[in-house]
Amino acid sequence: MITRCYLEITNICNLNCFFCPKTDRAKRRLTMDEFETLTNRLQGEIKFLYFHLMGEPLLHPLLPQFITIARAKGFIPVLTTNGTLLSQGYSVIDALPHKIQISLHSHEGNSREDACEYINEVMKFSLEAAARGIVVVLRFWNEGGSESNNDNLIQLISQYVPQPWTQRYDGWRLKENLYIEYDKIFEWPDSERDEYACNESFCYALRNQIGVLVDGSVVPCCLDHAGEINLGNLFEKELDEILSSPRARAIYDGFTRHSAVEPLCRRCGYAAVTKRFRK
């Protein structure tokens, strides 16, 4: 079983973060029938279902229903959001996803001025979700970048959950089910850039993660935002058939040998900066 699948229910976003590579793909949302088809083909093959790749999932009007359906089919639903639409998303709490990840660095990425209003919305939502048993992670994935606003946001957060907090290896535990997480800023993979070019590499793509774009294209990981490594379409084929294709097997076997066979994988800024995939 693959641990996680990043299912792109929409590739539409309401922000323009400087660190996001964006996408030139046609803008669309999954219909209910399309979501049913994709999740039926993922059922029994995937453990965690992440409602994110490109796009802001809270823009999708069917998100609460999607979460409920995913739970009924045995998936563990996880939501990643930029946190700007939470005041409209309390029905998501009622659907009870396992985890909600809120990317606070999106505030920095858009030079937003309304930090107090933003954190007020984030914390009201987060405290209610955490009280309902949902794990909430407030993410600062901007270490090594422009971190100038982090301290200000931390101070605003501490007005809702006073310090001291419990330190963890990647951040803080504020209270039950509520966490702050830090990580390094990184460059998205780009097959046209040689800055991070490296043939010797290891990655968990196709081992414990895949991505499914809004048009049904299956990609090896959540960083293939353009669908450059299109392994097949889940609307047309079963997942086993897609993952057993020659291209998919070459990627899997290559990483087994610590070799990146795809140009995009050889130029992955995430692997180079975070070094999470080195063995």
Side-chain angles (χ1 to χ4, degrees):
M1 175 180 284
I2 292 176
T3 305
R4 62 185 70 181
C5 173
Y6 295 87
L7 177 58
E8 185 183 73
I9 63 172
T10 180
N11 60 357
I12 302 168
C13 190
N14 62 319
L15 294 184
N16 186 31
C17 299
F18 70 81
F19 52 77
C20 176
K22 319 297 189 298
T23 177
D24 295 328
R25 293 180 283 118
K27 305 299 184 185
R28 69 190 302 270
R29 298 183 177 97
L30 288 182
T31 66
M32 178 60 77
D33 287 344
E34 289 173 336
F35 182 80
E36 288 279 11
T37 297
L38 294 178
T39 51
N40 284 343
R41 292 192 167 176
L42 293 169
Q43 192 172 13
E45 306 290 338
I46 303 295
K47 184 176 181 181
F48 292 92
L49 192 63
Y50 284 70
F51 290 88
H52 182 64
L53 205 146
M54 287 283 103
E56 168 51 53
L58 280 170
L59 285 172
H60 202 304
L62 298 178
L63 176 59
Q65 293 96 310
F66 285 174
I67 294 171
T68 300
I69 291 168
R71 285 170 55 86
K73 291 185 177 183
F75 299 104
I76 301 175
V78 179
L79 173 67
T80 301
T81 173
N82 59 44
T84 60
L85 302 174
L86 295 175
S87 63
Q88 308 166 32
Y90 279 79
S91 56
V92 168
I93 295 177
D94 293 331
L96 294 177
H98 168 69
K99 182 192 290 187
I100 299 175
Q101 302 174 146
I102 305 175
S103 299
L104 299 188
H105 48 278
S106 64
H107 183 276
E108 163 201 311
N110 289 273
S111 300
R112 295 169 63 92
E113 301 296 335
D114 54 342
C116 291
E117 181 181 344
Y118 176 66
I119 292 300
N120 178 60
E121 187 173 311
V122 166
M123 292 307 297
K124 284 173 59 179
F125 182 94
S126 298
L127 289 169
E128 180 167 336
R132 295 282 297 276
I134 300 168
V135 177
V136 180
V137 180
L138 309 177
R139 305 199 304 188
F140 288 98
W141 281 24
N142 58 3
E143 288 186 335
S146 177
E147 308 168 51
S148 59
N149 202 34
N150 285 7
D151 288 344
N152 180 41
L153 296 184
I154 290 292
Q155 290 302 314
L156 292 172
I157 290 169
S158 67
Q159 294 177 17
Y160 295 84
V161 185
Q163 300 188 48
W165 303 327
T166 303
Q167 189 163 13
R168 290 162 42 89
Y169 71 97
D170 59 353
W172 303 92
R173 178 186 182 274
L174 279 62
K175 60 180 301 181
E176 186 174 7
N177 296 325
L178 183 57
Y179 301 87
I180 285 175
E181 177 184 279
Y182 295 98
D183 210 337
K184 297 176 181 177
I185 195 169
F186 63 91
E187 295 283 347
W188 287 63
D190 186 341
S191 57
E192 300 299 320
R193 292 184 59 183
D194 291 330
E195 181 180 355
Y196 298 114
C198 180
N199 292 339
E200 185 177 352
S201 179
F202 177 82
C203 180
Y204 290 104
L206 303 182
R207 276 178 161 75
N208 73 355
Q209 71 159 298
I210 59 170
V212 179
L213 304 181
V214 71
D215 67 353
S217 299
V218 176
V219 293
C221 81
C222 62
L223 297 180
D224 187 359
H225 59 92
E228 187 170 331
I229 309 175
N230 186 346
L231 301 175
N233 196 291
L234 200 58
F235 287 128
E236 302 166 1
K237 299 178 181 180
E238 297 293 337
L239 185 61
D240 285 347
E241 182 181 357
I242 293 172
L243 296 184
S244 61
S245 69
R247 190 177 189 184
R249 292 307 310 172
I251 294 169
Y252 186 100
D253 293 342
F255 283 130
T256 300
R257 303 189 304 270
H258 290 247
S259 175
V261 300
E262 292 281 346
L264 188 70
C265 300
R266 295 181 195 137
R267 294 163 176 82
C268 179
Y270 182 79
V273 171
T274 66
K275 297 182 171 57
R276 285 187 174 189
F277 303 145
R278 302 295 172 85
K279 277 192 167 184

mmCIF file with all atom_site columns, all heavy atoms in Angstrom, residues 198-199 201 229 246-255 257-266:
data_model
loop_
_atom_site.group_PDB
_atom_site.id
_atom_site.type_symbol
_atom_site.label_atom_id
_atom_site.label_alt_id
_atom_site.label_comp_id
_atom_site.label_asym_id
_atom_site.label_entity_id
_atom_site.label_seq_id
_atom_site.pdbx_PDB_ins_code
_atom_site.Cartn_x
_atom_site.Cartn_y
_atom_site.Cartn_z
_atom_site.occupancy
_atom_site.B_iso_or_equiv
_atom_site.pdbx_formal_charge
_atom_site.auth_seq_id
_atom_site.auth_comp_id
_atom_site.auth_asym_id
_atom_site.auth_atom_id
_atom_site.pdbx_PDB_model_num
ATOM 1   N N   . CYS A 1 198 ? 21.592 16.613 -10.166 1.00 0.00 ? 198 CYS A N   1
ATOM 2   C CA  . CYS A 1 198 ? 22.275 15.517 -9.474  1.00 0.00 ? 198 CYS A CA  1
ATOM 3   C C   . CYS A 1 198 ? 21.657 14.205 -9.925  1.00 0.00 ? 198 CYS A C   1
ATOM 4   O O   . CYS A 1 198 ? 20.455 14.008 -9.789  1.00 0.00 ? 198 CYS A O   1
ATOM 5   C CB  . CYS A 1 198 ? 22.158 15.671 -7.961  1.00 0.00 ? 198 CYS A CB  1
ATOM 6   S SG  . CYS A 1 198 ? 22.987 14.353 -7.033  1.00 0.00 ? 198 CYS A SG  1
ATOM 7   N N   . ASN A 1 199 ? 22.467 13.325 -10.480 1.00 0.00 ? 199 ASN A N   1
ATOM 8   C CA  . ASN A 1 199 ? 21.954 12.031 -10.935 1.00 0.00 ? 199 ASN A CA  1
ATOM 9   C C   . ASN A 1 199 ? 21.825 11.040 -9.794  1.00 0.00 ? 199 ASN A C   1
ATOM 10  O O   . ASN A 1 199 ? 20.987 10.142 -9.838  1.00 0.00 ? 199 ASN A O   1
ATOM 11  C CB  . ASN A 1 199 ? 22.877 11.448 -12.012 1.00 0.00 ? 199 ASN A CB  1
ATOM 12  C CG  . ASN A 1 199 ? 22.841 12.258 -13.295 1.00 0.00 ? 199 ASN A CG  1
ATOM 13  O OD1 . ASN A 1 199 ? 21.896 13.001 -13.532 1.00 0.00 ? 199 ASN A OD1 1
ATOM 14  N ND2 . ASN A 1 199 ? 23.877 12.117 -14.113 1.00 0.00 ? 199 ASN A ND2 1
ATOM 15  N N   . SER A 1 201 ? 20.583 10.039 -6.417  1.00 0.00 ? 201 SER A N   1
ATOM 16  C CA  . SER A 1 201 ? 19.527 10.523 -5.535  1.00 0.00 ? 201 SER A CA  1
ATOM 17  C C   . SER A 1 201 ? 18.632 9.367  -5.122  1.00 0.00 ? 201 SER A C   1
ATOM 18  O O   . SER A 1 201 ? 18.596 8.319  -5.778  1.00 0.00 ? 201 SER A O   1
ATOM 19  C CB  . SER A 1 201 ? 18.702 11.596 -6.258  1.00 0.00 ? 201 SER A CB  1
ATOM 20  O OG  . SER A 1 201 ? 17.661 12.068 -5.439  1.00 0.00 ? 201 SER A OG  1
ATOM 21  N N   . ILE A 1 229 ? 5.849  14.382 -15.552 1.00 0.00 ? 229 ILE A N   1
ATOM 22  C CA  . ILE A 1 229 ? 6.060  12.929 -15.548 1.00 0.00 ? 229 ILE A CA  1
ATOM 23  C C   . ILE A 1 229 ? 4.686  12.273 -15.459 1.00 0.00 ? 229 ILE A C   1
ATOM 24  O O   . ILE A 1 229 ? 4.261  11.761 -14.421 1.00 0.00 ? 229 ILE A O   1
ATOM 25  C CB  . ILE A 1 229 ? 6.966  12.482 -14.385 1.00 0.00 ? 229 ILE A CB  1
ATOM 26  C CG1 . ILE A 1 229 ? 8.246  13.316 -14.351 1.00 0.00 ? 229 ILE A CG1 1
ATOM 27  C CG2 . ILE A 1 229 ? 7.323  11.006 -14.518 1.00 0.00 ? 229 ILE A CG2 1
ATOM 28  C CD1 . ILE A 1 229 ? 9.138  13.031 -13.158 1.00 0.00 ? 229 ILE A CD1 1
ATOM 29  N N   . PRO A 1 246 ? 6.267  0.744  -17.959 1.00 0.00 ? 246 PRO A N   1
ATOM 30  C CA  . PRO A 1 246 ? 7.743  0.804  -18.049 1.00 0.00 ? 246 PRO A CA  1
ATOM 31  C C   . PRO A 1 246 ? 8.331  2.078  -17.468 1.00 0.00 ? 246 PRO A C   1
ATOM 32  O O   . PRO A 1 246 ? 9.372  2.036  -16.803 1.00 0.00 ? 246 PRO A O   1
ATOM 33  C CB  . PRO A 1 246 ? 7.990  0.705  -19.563 1.00 0.00 ? 246 PRO A CB  1
ATOM 34  C CG  . PRO A 1 246 ? 6.809  -0.054 -20.090 1.00 0.00 ? 246 PRO A CG  1
ATOM 35  C CD  . PRO A 1 246 ? 5.645  0.384  -19.252 1.00 0.00 ? 246 PRO A CD  1
ATOM 36  N N   . ARG A 1 247 ? 7.678  3.216  -17.679 1.00 0.00 ? 247 ARG A N   1
ATOM 37  C CA  . ARG A 1 247 ? 8.223  4.480  -17.164 1.00 0.00 ? 247 ARG A CA  1
ATOM 38  C C   . ARG A 1 247 ? 8.179  4.510  -15.641 1.00 0.00 ? 247 ARG A C   1
ATOM 39  O O   . ARG A 1 247 ? 9.148  4.930  -14.984 1.00 0.00 ? 247 ARG A O   1
ATOM 40  C CB  . ARG A 1 247 ? 7.445  5.661  -17.737 1.00 0.00 ? 247 ARG A CB  1
ATOM 41  C CG  . ARG A 1 247 ? 8.100  7.014  -17.444 1.00 0.00 ? 247 ARG A CG  1
ATOM 42  C CD  . ARG A 1 247 ? 7.351  8.154  -18.092 1.00 0.00 ? 247 ARG A CD  1
ATOM 43  N NE  . ARG A 1 247 ? 8.096  9.408  -17.997 1.00 0.00 ? 247 ARG A NE  1
ATOM 44  C CZ  . ARG A 1 247 ? 7.641  10.589 -18.421 1.00 0.00 ? 247 ARG A CZ  1
ATOM 45  N NH1 . ARG A 1 247 ? 6.443  10.673 -18.984 1.00 0.00 ? 247 ARG A NH1 1
ATOM 46  N NH2 . ARG A 1 247 ? 8.389  11.681 -18.290 1.00 0.00 ? 247 ARG A NH2 1
ATOM 47  N N   . ALA A 1 248 ? 7.069  4.059  -15.053 1.00 0.00 ? 248 ALA A N   1
ATOM 48  C CA  . ALA A 1 248 ? 6.954  4.031  -13.594 1.00 0.00 ? 248 ALA A CA  1
ATOM 49  C C   . ALA A 1 248 ? 7.969  3.067  -12.989 1.00 0.00 ? 248 ALA A C   1
ATOM 50  O O   . ALA A 1 248 ? 8.608  3.370  -11.970 1.00 0.00 ? 248 ALA A O   1
ATOM 51  C CB  . ALA A 1 248 ? 5.531  3.657  -13.186 1.00 0.00 ? 248 ALA A CB  1
ATOM 52  N N   . ARG A 1 249 ? 8.130  1.894  -13.610 1.00 0.00 ? 249 ARG A N   1
ATOM 53  C CA  . ARG A 1 249 ? 9.081  0.917  -13.081 1.00 0.00 ? 249 ARG A CA  1
ATOM 54  C C   . ARG A 1 249 ? 10.513 1.445  -13.188 1.00 0.00 ? 249 ARG A C   1
ATOM 55  O O   . ARG A 1 249 ? 11.338 1.210  -12.302 1.00 0.00 ? 249 ARG A O   1
ATOM 56  C CB  . ARG A 1 249 ? 8.962  -0.402 -13.846 1.00 0.00 ? 249 ARG A CB  1
ATOM 57  C CG  . ARG A 1 249 ? 7.658  -1.157 -13.615 1.00 0.00 ? 249 ARG A CG  1
ATOM 58  C CD  . ARG A 1 249 ? 7.362  -1.380 -12.156 1.00 0.00 ? 249 ARG A CD  1
ATOM 59  N NE  . ARG A 1 249 ? 8.484  -1.943 -11.423 1.00 0.00 ? 249 ARG A NE  1
ATOM 60  C CZ  . ARG A 1 249 ? 8.529  -2.092 -10.106 1.00 0.00 ? 249 ARG A CZ  1
ATOM 61  N NH1 . ARG A 1 249 ? 7.491  -1.690 -9.373  1.00 0.00 ? 249 ARG A NH1 1
ATOM 62  N NH2 . ARG A 1 249 ? 9.574  -2.623 -9.520  1.00 0.00 ? 249 ARG A NH2 1
ATOM 63  N N   . ALA A 1 250 ? 10.801 2.176  -14.257 1.00 0.00 ? 250 ALA A N   1
ATOM 64  C CA  . ALA A 1 250 ? 12.151 2.729  -14.415 1.00 0.00 ? 250 ALA A CA  1
ATOM 65  C C   . ALA A 1 250 ? 12.451 3.738  -13.314 1.00 0.00 ? 250 ALA A C   1
ATOM 66  O O   . ALA A 1 250 ? 13.568 3.779  -12.776 1.00 0.00 ? 250 ALA A O   1
ATOM 67  C CB  . ALA A 1 250 ? 12.289 3.376  -15.788 1.00 0.00 ? 250 ALA A CB  1
ATOM 68  N N   . ILE A 1 251 ? 11.466 4.568  -12.964 1.00 0.00 ? 251 ILE A N   1
ATOM 69  C CA  . ILE A 1 251 ? 11.645 5.543  -11.878 1.00 0.00 ? 251 ILE A CA  1
ATOM 70  C C   . ILE A 1 251 ? 11.879 4.821  -10.556 1.00 0.00 ? 251 ILE A C   1
ATOM 71  O O   . ILE A 1 251 ? 12.814 5.134  -9.808  1.00 0.00 ? 251 ILE A O   1
ATOM 72  C CB  . ILE A 1 251 ? 10.415 6.467  -11.778 1.00 0.00 ? 251 ILE A CB  1
ATOM 73  C CG1 . ILE A 1 251 ? 10.293 7.341  -13.025 1.00 0.00 ? 251 ILE A CG1 1
ATOM 74  C CG2 . ILE A 1 251 ? 10.497 7.341  -10.519 1.00 0.00 ? 251 ILE A CG2 1
ATOM 75  C CD1 . ILE A 1 251 ? 8.970  8.087  -13.120 1.00 0.00 ? 251 ILE A CD1 1
ATOM 76  N N   . TYR A 1 252 ? 11.024 3.832  -10.258 1.00 0.00 ? 252 TYR A N   1
ATOM 77  C CA  . TYR A 1 252 ? 11.115 3.077  -8.999  1.00 0.00 ? 252 TYR A CA  1
ATOM 78  C C   . TYR A 1 252 ? 12.460 2.353  -8.905  1.00 0.00 ? 252 TYR A C   1
ATOM 79  O O   . TYR A 1 252 ? 13.174 2.451  -7.895  1.00 0.00 ? 252 TYR A O   1
ATOM 80  C CB  . TYR A 1 252 ? 9.962  2.082  -8.928  1.00 0.00 ? 252 TYR A CB  1
ATOM 81  C CG  . TYR A 1 252 ? 9.866  1.334  -7.624  1.00 0.00 ? 252 TYR A CG  1
ATOM 82  C CD1 . TYR A 1 252 ? 8.955  1.732  -6.644  1.00 0.00 ? 252 TYR A CD1 1
ATOM 83  C CD2 . TYR A 1 252 ? 10.661 0.220  -7.362  1.00 0.00 ? 252 TYR A CD2 1
ATOM 84  C CE1 . TYR A 1 252 ? 8.845  1.038  -5.441  1.00 0.00 ? 252 TYR A CE1 1
ATOM 85  C CE2 . TYR A 1 252 ? 10.571 -0.469 -6.162  1.00 0.00 ? 252 TYR A CE2 1
ATOM 86  C CZ  . TYR A 1 252 ? 9.659  -0.052 -5.205  1.00 0.00 ? 252 TYR A CZ  1
ATOM 87  O OH  . TYR A 1 252 ? 9.561  -0.731 -4.023  1.00 0.00 ? 252 TYR A OH  1
ATOM 88  N N   . ASP A 1 253 ? 12.816 1.636  -9.967  1.00 0.00 ? 253 ASP A N   1
ATOM 89  C CA  . ASP A 1 253 ? 14.065 0.867  -9.943  1.00 0.00 ? 253 ASP A CA  1
ATOM 90  C C   . ASP A 1 253 ? 15.277 1.791  -9.904  1.00 0.00 ? 253 ASP A C   1
ATOM 91  O O   . ASP A 1 253 ? 16.292 1.465  -9.283  1.00 0.00 ? 253 ASP A O   1
ATOM 92  C CB  . ASP A 1 253 ? 14.138 -0.042 -11.174 1.00 0.00 ? 253 ASP A CB  1
ATOM 93  C CG  . ASP A 1 253 ? 13.074 -1.141 -11.149 1.00 0.00 ? 253 ASP A CG  1
ATOM 94  O OD1 . ASP A 1 253 ? 12.524 -1.412 -10.058 1.00 0.00 ? 253 ASP A OD1 1
ATOM 95  O OD2 . ASP A 1 253 ? 12.786 -1.715 -12.217 1.00 0.00 ? 253 ASP A OD2 1
ATOM 96  N N   . GLY A 1 254 ? 15.162 2.949  -10.560 1.00 0.00 ? 254 GLY A N   1
ATOM 97  C CA  . GLY A 1 254 ? 16.258 3.902  -10.528 1.00 0.00 ? 254 GLY A CA  1
ATOM 98  C C   . GLY A 1 254 ? 16.537 4.383  -9.113  1.00 0.00 ? 254 GLY A C   1
ATOM 99  O O   . GLY A 1 254 ? 17.698 4.403  -8.675  1.00 0.00 ? 254 GLY A O   1
ATOM 100 N N   . PHE A 1 255 ? 15.497 4.757  -8.392  1.00 0.00 ? 255 PHE A N   1
ATOM 101 C CA  . PHE A 1 255 ? 15.705 5.217  -7.024  1.00 0.00 ? 255 PHE A CA  1
ATOM 102 C C   . PHE A 1 255 ? 16.198 4.086  -6.117  1.00 0.00 ? 255 PHE A C   1
ATOM 103 O O   . PHE A 1 255 ? 16.894 4.338  -5.131  1.00 0.00 ? 255 PHE A O   1
ATOM 104 C CB  . PHE A 1 255 ? 14.435 5.853  -6.477  1.00 0.00 ? 255 PHE A CB  1
ATOM 105 C CG  . PHE A 1 255 ? 14.187 7.247  -6.990  1.00 0.00 ? 255 PHE A CG  1
ATOM 106 C CD1 . PHE A 1 255 ? 12.956 7.599  -7.520  1.00 0.00 ? 255 PHE A CD1 1
ATOM 107 C CD2 . PHE A 1 255 ? 15.180 8.207  -6.941  1.00 0.00 ? 255 PHE A CD2 1
ATOM 108 C CE1 . PHE A 1 255 ? 12.721 8.881  -7.987  1.00 0.00 ? 255 PHE A CE1 1
ATOM 109 C CE2 . PHE A 1 255 ? 14.966 9.488  -7.418  1.00 0.00 ? 255 PHE A CE2 1
ATOM 110 C CZ  . PHE A 1 255 ? 13.737 9.831  -7.947  1.00 0.00 ? 255 PHE A CZ  1
ATOM 111 N N   . ARG A 1 257 ? 18.384 2.086  -6.976  1.00 0.00 ? 257 ARG A N   1
ATOM 112 C CA  . ARG A 1 257 ? 19.843 2.143  -7.212  1.00 0.00 ? 257 ARG A CA  1
ATOM 113 C C   . ARG A 1 257 ? 20.416 3.514  -6.849  1.00 0.00 ? 257 ARG A C   1
ATOM 114 O O   . ARG A 1 257 ? 21.564 3.801  -7.160  1.00 0.00 ? 257 ARG A O   1
ATOM 115 C CB  . ARG A 1 257 ? 20.136 1.852  -8.691  1.00 0.00 ? 257 ARG A CB  1
ATOM 116 C CG  . ARG A 1 257 ? 19.629 0.534  -9.215  1.00 0.00 ? 257 ARG A CG  1
ATOM 117 C CD  . ARG A 1 257 ? 20.168 0.283  -10.622 1.00 0.00 ? 257 ARG A CD  1
ATOM 118 N NE  . ARG A 1 257 ? 19.844 1.374  -11.534 1.00 0.00 ? 257 ARG A NE  1
ATOM 119 C CZ  . ARG A 1 257 ? 18.735 1.427  -12.278 1.00 0.00 ? 257 ARG A CZ  1
ATOM 120 N NH1 . ARG A 1 257 ? 17.823 0.448  -12.195 1.00 0.00 ? 257 ARG A NH1 1
ATOM 121 N NH2 . ARG A 1 257 ? 18.511 2.451  -13.092 1.00 0.00 ? 257 ARG A NH2 1
ATOM 122 N N   . HIS A 1 258 ? 19.607 4.373  -6.216  1.00 0.00 ? 258 HIS A N   1
ATOM 123 C CA  . HIS A 1 258 ? 20.003 5.745  -5.879  1.00 0.00 ? 258 HIS A CA  1
ATOM 124 C C   . HIS A 1 258 ? 20.345 6.542  -7.144  1.00 0.00 ? 258 HIS A C   1
ATOM 125 O O   . HIS A 1 258 ? 21.312 7.302  -7.182  1.00 0.00 ? 258 HIS A O   1
ATOM 126 C CB  . HIS A 1 258 ? 21.187 5.755  -4.911  1.00 0.00 ? 258 HIS A CB  1
ATOM 127 C CG  . HIS A 1 258 ? 20.816 5.282  -3.542  1.00 0.00 ? 258 HIS A CG  1
ATOM 128 N ND1 . HIS A 1 258 ? 20.808 6.100  -2.446  1.00 0.00 ? 258 HIS A ND1 1
ATOM 129 C CD2 . HIS A 1 258 ? 20.397 4.067  -3.107  1.00 0.00 ? 258 HIS A CD2 1
ATOM 130 C CE1 . HIS A 1 258 ? 20.416 5.402  -1.381  1.00 0.00 ? 258 HIS A CE1 1
ATOM 131 N NE2 . HIS A 1 258 ? 20.160 4.171  -1.763  1.00 0.00 ? 258 HIS A NE2 1
ATOM 132 N N   . SER A 1 259 ? 19.529 6.349  -8.158  1.00 0.00 ? 259 SER A N   1
ATOM 133 C CA  . SER A 1 259 ? 19.728 7.037  -9.423  1.00 0.00 ? 259 SER A CA  1
ATOM 134 C C   . SER A 1 259 ? 18.413 7.658  -9.884  1.00 0.00 ? 259 SER A C   1
ATOM 135 O O   . SER A 1 259 ? 17.381 6.970  -9.923  1.00 0.00 ? 259 SER A O   1
ATOM 136 C CB  . SER A 1 259 ? 20.239 6.054  -10.483 1.00 0.00 ? 259 SER A CB  1
ATOM 137 O OG  . SER A 1 259 ? 20.321 6.682  -11.754 1.00 0.00 ? 259 SER A OG  1
ATOM 138 N N   . ALA A 1 260 ? 18.444 8.954  -10.223 1.00 0.00 ? 260 ALA A N   1
ATOM 139 C CA  . ALA A 1 260 ? 17.255 9.649  -10.727 1.00 0.00 ? 260 ALA A CA  1
ATOM 140 C C   . ALA A 1 260 ? 17.243 9.538  -12.251 1.00 0.00 ? 260 ALA A C   1
ATOM 141 O O   . ALA A 1 260 ? 18.138 10.077 -12.920 1.00 0.00 ? 260 ALA A O   1
ATOM 142 C CB  . ALA A 1 260 ? 17.271 11.108 -10.304 1.00 0.00 ? 260 ALA A CB  1
ATOM 143 N N   . VAL A 1 261 ? 16.262 8.859  -12.810 1.00 0.00 ? 261 VAL A N   1
ATOM 144 C CA  . VAL A 1 261 ? 16.248 8.615  -14.248 1.00 0.00 ? 261 VAL A CA  1
ATOM 145 C C   . VAL A 1 261 ? 15.505 9.706  -15.012 1.00 0.00 ? 261 VAL A C   1
ATOM 146 O O   . VAL A 1 261 ? 15.689 9.850  -16.221 1.00 0.00 ? 261 VAL A O   1
ATOM 147 C CB  . VAL A 1 261 ? 15.629 7.234  -14.574 1.00 0.00 ? 261 VAL A CB  1
ATOM 148 C CG1 . VAL A 1 261 ? 16.429 6.125  -13.911 1.00 0.00 ? 261 VAL A CG1 1
ATOM 149 C CG2 . VAL A 1 261 ? 14.161 7.160  -14.163 1.00 0.00 ? 261 VAL A CG2 1
ATOM 150 N N   . GLU A 1 262 ? 14.640 10.474 -14.334 1.00 0.00 ? 262 GLU A N   1
ATOM 151 C CA  . GLU A 1 262 ? 13.888 11.527 -14.991 1.00 0.00 ? 262 GLU A CA  1
ATOM 152 C C   . GLU A 1 262 ? 14.605 12.872 -14.839 1.00 0.00 ? 262 GLU A C   1
ATOM 153 O O   . GLU A 1 262 ? 15.093 13.204 -13.753 1.00 0.00 ? 262 GLU A O   1
ATOM 154 C CB  . GLU A 1 262 ? 12.486 11.640 -14.385 1.00 0.00 ? 262 GLU A CB  1
ATOM 155 C CG  . GLU A 1 262 ? 11.579 10.448 -14.673 1.00 0.00 ? 262 GLU A CG  1
ATOM 156 C CD  . GLU A 1 262 ? 10.976 10.503 -16.066 1.00 0.00 ? 262 GLU A CD  1
ATOM 157 O OE1 . GLU A 1 262 ? 11.040 11.578 -16.716 1.00 0.00 ? 262 GLU A OE1 1
ATOM 158 O OE2 . GLU A 1 262 ? 10.415 9.469  -16.499 1.00 0.00 ? 262 GLU A OE2 1
ATOM 159 N N   . PRO A 1 263 ? 14.666 13.674 -15.912 1.00 0.00 ? 263 PRO A N   1
ATOM 160 C CA  . PRO A 1 263 ? 15.297 14.994 -15.814 1.00 0.00 ? 263 PRO A CA  1
ATOM 161 C C   . PRO A 1 263 ? 14.720 15.853 -14.691 1.00 0.00 ? 263 PRO A C   1
ATOM 162 O O   . PRO A 1 263 ? 15.462 16.568 -14.008 1.00 0.00 ? 263 PRO A O   1
ATOM 163 C CB  . PRO A 1 263 ? 15.017 15.617 -17.187 1.00 0.00 ? 263 PRO A CB  1
ATOM 164 C CG  . PRO A 1 263 ? 14.879 14.453 -18.110 1.00 0.00 ? 263 PRO A CG  1
ATOM 165 C CD  . PRO A 1 263 ? 14.214 13.371 -17.288 1.00 0.00 ? 263 PRO A CD  1
ATOM 166 N N   . LEU A 1 264 ? 13.403 15.792 -14.482 1.00 0.00 ? 264 LEU A N   1
ATOM 167 C CA  . LEU A 1 264 ? 12.789 16.592 -13.420 1.00 0.00 ? 264 LEU A CA  1
ATOM 168 C C   . LEU A 1 264 ? 13.304 16.162 -12.050 1.00 0.00 ? 264 LEU A C   1
ATOM 169 O O   . LEU A 1 264 ? 13.586 16.993 -11.190 1.00 0.00 ? 264 LEU A O   1
ATOM 170 C CB  . LEU A 1 264 ? 11.269 16.469 -13.484 1.00 0.00 ? 264 LEU A CB  1
ATOM 171 C CG  . LEU A 1 264 ? 10.480 17.405 -12.558 1.00 0.00 ? 264 LEU A CG  1
ATOM 172 C CD1 . LEU A 1 264 ? 10.597 18.849 -13.038 1.00 0.00 ? 264 LEU A CD1 1
ATOM 173 C CD2 . LEU A 1 264 ? 9.004  16.993 -12.501 1.00 0.00 ? 264 LEU A CD2 1
ATOM 174 N N   . CYS A 1 265 ? 13.432 14.861 -11.843 1.00 0.00 ? 265 CYS A N   1
ATOM 175 C CA  . CYS A 1 265 ? 13.893 14.341 -10.554 1.00 0.00 ? 265 CYS A CA  1
ATOM 176 C C   . CYS A 1 265 ? 15.355 14.698 -10.303 1.00 0.00 ? 265 CYS A C   1
ATOM 177 O O   . CYS A 1 265 ? 15.779 14.855 -9.157  1.00 0.00 ? 265 CYS A O   1
ATOM 178 C CB  . CYS A 1 265 ? 13.714 12.827 -10.490 1.00 0.00 ? 265 CYS A CB  1
ATOM 179 S SG  . CYS A 1 265 ? 11.999 12.272 -10.689 1.00 0.00 ? 265 CYS A SG  1
ATOM 180 N N   . ARG A 1 266 ? 16.128 14.819 -11.374 1.00 0.00 ? 266 ARG A N   1
ATOM 181 C CA  . ARG A 1 266 ? 17.543 15.179 -11.224 1.00 0.00 ? 266 ARG A CA  1
ATOM 182 C C   . ARG A 1 266 ? 17.712 16.627 -10.815 1.00 0.00 ? 266 ARG A C   1
ATOM 183 O O   . ARG A 1 266 ? 18.801 17.036 -10.414 1.00 0.00 ? 266 ARG A O   1
ATOM 184 C CB  . ARG A 1 266 ? 18.284 14.941 -12.544 1.00 0.00 ? 266 ARG A CB  1
ATOM 185 C CG  . ARG A 1 266 ? 18.358 13.494 -12.972 1.00 0.00 ? 266 ARG A CG  1
ATOM 186 C CD  . ARG A 1 266 ? 19.126 13.382 -14.277 1.00 0.00 ? 266 ARG A CD  1
ATOM 187 N NE  . ARG A 1 266 ? 18.910 12.079 -14.893 1.00 0.00 ? 266 ARG A NE  1
ATOM 188 C CZ  . ARG A 1 266 ? 18.696 11.894 -16.194 1.00 0.00 ? 266 ARG A CZ  1
ATOM 189 N NH1 . ARG A 1 266 ? 18.677 12.936 -17.011 1.00 0.00 ? 266 ARG A NH1 1
ATOM 190 N NH2 . ARG A 1 266 ? 18.517 10.678 -16.667 1.00 0.00 ? 266 ARG A NH2 1
#
